[in-house]
Amino acid sequence: MTRRGTYATSRRPRPSAVARSRVTPLLFLLPAFAVYAAFALYPLGRAAQFSLFEWRGFGASTFVGLQNYVGLAGDAAFRAAIGNALVLIVFYAVIPLVVGLVLAAILRRGQVRGMGFFRTVIFLPQVIALVVVAVAWRQIYSPVGPLNQVLEAVGLGGLTRGWLGDPGTALASVGFIGTWVEMGLVMLLMLSGMSRIPAELFEAARLDGAGPVKEFFAITLPAVRGEITVALVLTIIAALKTFDLVYMTTSGGPGNSTTVPSYEVYFRAFDLREVGSASAVAIVLTLLIFAINVGVTRIGERES
C-alpha cells in the first residue's frame, strides 16, 4: 500500500456542521428536560405561587405575599415538624450508614457463601410498600403485640408500653422502622463499593501485619467514599420527606411528637384547608432538602 493510500485509509471524516454546533447537545437534552419541567418544575412553581396566597383549595383566594412564610417562623407545630425530621435523619441515615458499613466490611472480609441471596434478603425492605411496612410494625408495637410479649417473657415487663402512643418513645419507634428499611439499601451500596477493591490490597495489608480494624480504616473506608455520599443523599432525602410511616403509624401524634414537614403539608392542606400555608411548608422543605444534600455532596466530592 502506498504512503498516500495509508494516509487516506486512516484519515477520519470531518464532523458535519450540525454535529459541531453547540445547539445539537441541547436538542438531545430537550425531550428529557421537557418531561422534567412538566412533572417537577411546573408543580414546584405552582406550589410556590400558592404559597403567596390565602386559599382554602376552592373559591376565591387572597394575595398575602410572604405572610405564610412569616407565620411559619412562629408556628410551634412547624418547628416541631422540622425538629422531628432532623431527629429522623439520625435513624434513617446515620445509624444505617454506621451499622451498614461495619456489617458490609465483616461480610466482605468473611467471604460469606450465597452472597447473592443474602443481598436480596437485606434489600427486601426496600421492595415492600411502606404502607405494608407501617401496618406490620404498628402491630409489633401494639400494647399486646410481639415486642411487649417478648419483654414480658424475658422478665422485662416493666418496660412494656404503647410504644407509638407514648410521647417519649413514639418518634424513636417510627425512626427505628426507618432504620430497618434503609439498612438494606446502605449495606447493598457498601458491598457494591467494597467488591471493587482489589484483593491484592488486602493481602498486602495482612502481610504488613494490619489487623481488621486498621484494614478497614486504611483500605475499605477510603475506597467507598463515593458510595457513602450516595447513601447519605438517598437516606437523608428519605428521612426529610417521609410521610407514609408517620401517617399510617401515628398520624403525627401523640400531640406533635411525631409530626414531620410532609405530614404538615397534608394536614394543613386537607384537614385545615390552609393551602397557602401548606404550600409554604412544602417550599421550605424542598429548600431544606436541597441545601442539606448539596452540602453532603460537596463534602463527599472534596473528600474524594
Side-chain angles (χ1 to χ4, degrees):
M1 182 179 292
T2 64
R3 183 176 181 181
R4 178 178 298 178
T6 303
Y7 175 76
T9 303
S10 61
R11 186 178 174 185
R12 295 181 178 179
R14 181 180 177 83
S16 65
V18 175
R20 297 197 308 269
S21 174
R22 294 182 178 181
V23 180
T24 301
L26 299 179
L27 293 177
F28 281 101
L29 293 174
L30 187 59
F33 179 77
V35 174
Y36 177 72
F39 292 98
L41 296 182
Y42 176 73
L44 183 62
R46 289 289 287 174
Q49 179 185 2
F50 292 153
S51 70
L52 303 177
F53 289 83
E54 183 179 335
W55 186 41
R56 294 182 55 82
F58 56 87
S61 59
T62 305
F63 180 78
V64 294
L66 299 178
Q67 184 176 330
N68 287 322
Y69 293 95
V70 174
L72 293 180
D75 193 320
F78 175 72
R79 292 199 304 270
I82 294 294
N84 293 338
L86 296 178
V87 171
L88 288 181
I89 289 178
V90 177
F91 288 95
Y92 275 71
V94 179
I95 296 177
L97 179 62
V98 174
V99 179
L101 261 173
V102 174
L103 292 180
I106 293 174
L107 292 174
R108 172 66 178 79
R109 183 179 175 86
Q111 296 295 329
V112 177
R113 293 184 178 181
M115 184 64 74
F117 172 77
F118 188 74
R119 288 180 178 179
T120 302
V121 171
I122 62 178
F123 192 72
L124 193 60
Q126 286 285 323
V127 180
I128 304 174
L130 283 179
V131 173
V132 177
V133 171
V135 171
W137 277 92
R138 189 173 61 187
Q139 297 300 318
I140 293 173
Y141 285 136
S142 170
V144 293
L147 178 56
N148 284 337
Q149 291 177 4
V150 170
L151 290 175
E152 290 178 353
V154 297
L156 298 176
L159 298 179
T160 60
R161 66 193 67 204
W163 296 92
L164 295 175
D166 187 336
T169 59
L171 184 60
S173 299
V174 174
F176 184 78
I177 303 174
T179 300
W180 180 77
V181 171
E182 301 299 331
M183 185 77 70
L185 173 63
V186 174
M187 283 187 62
L188 197 63
L189 287 172
M190 297 304 109
L191 285 171
S192 176
M194 293 175 189
S195 66
R196 299 199 308 269
I197 304 175
E200 293 80 6
L201 291 178
F202 294 104
E203 293 175 0
R206 290 166 188 170
L207 289 175
D208 290 340
V213 176
K214 187 175 182 180
E215 189 179 292
F216 174 79
F217 285 103
I219 299 176
T220 304
L221 192 59
V224 295
R225 282 176 178 169
E227 284 74 15
I228 290 175
T229 301
V230 173
L232 283 176
V233 169
L234 294 177
T235 52
I236 288 174
I237 290 176
L240 292 176
K241 70 182 186 65
T242 184
F243 171 79
D244 316 58
L245 292 180
V246 172
Y247 180 78
M248 293 299 299
T249 54
T250 64
S251 296
N256 292 328
S257 60
T258 61
T259 186
V260 290
S262 294
Y263 183 80
E264 279 295 305
V265 173
Y266 164 82
F267 179 72
R268 291 168 188 252
F270 295 100
D271 287 357
L272 301 181
R273 297 291 183 179
E274 297 176 357
V275 177
S277 177
S279 300
V281 174
I283 295 299
V284 172
L285 176 61
T286 301
L287 295 176
L288 179 63
I289 292 175
F290 180 78
I292 291 178
N293 284 288
V294 165
V296 171
T297 304
R298 289 281 181 88
I299 294 173
E301 291 175 350
R302 186 171 59 191
E303 292 295 328
S304 298

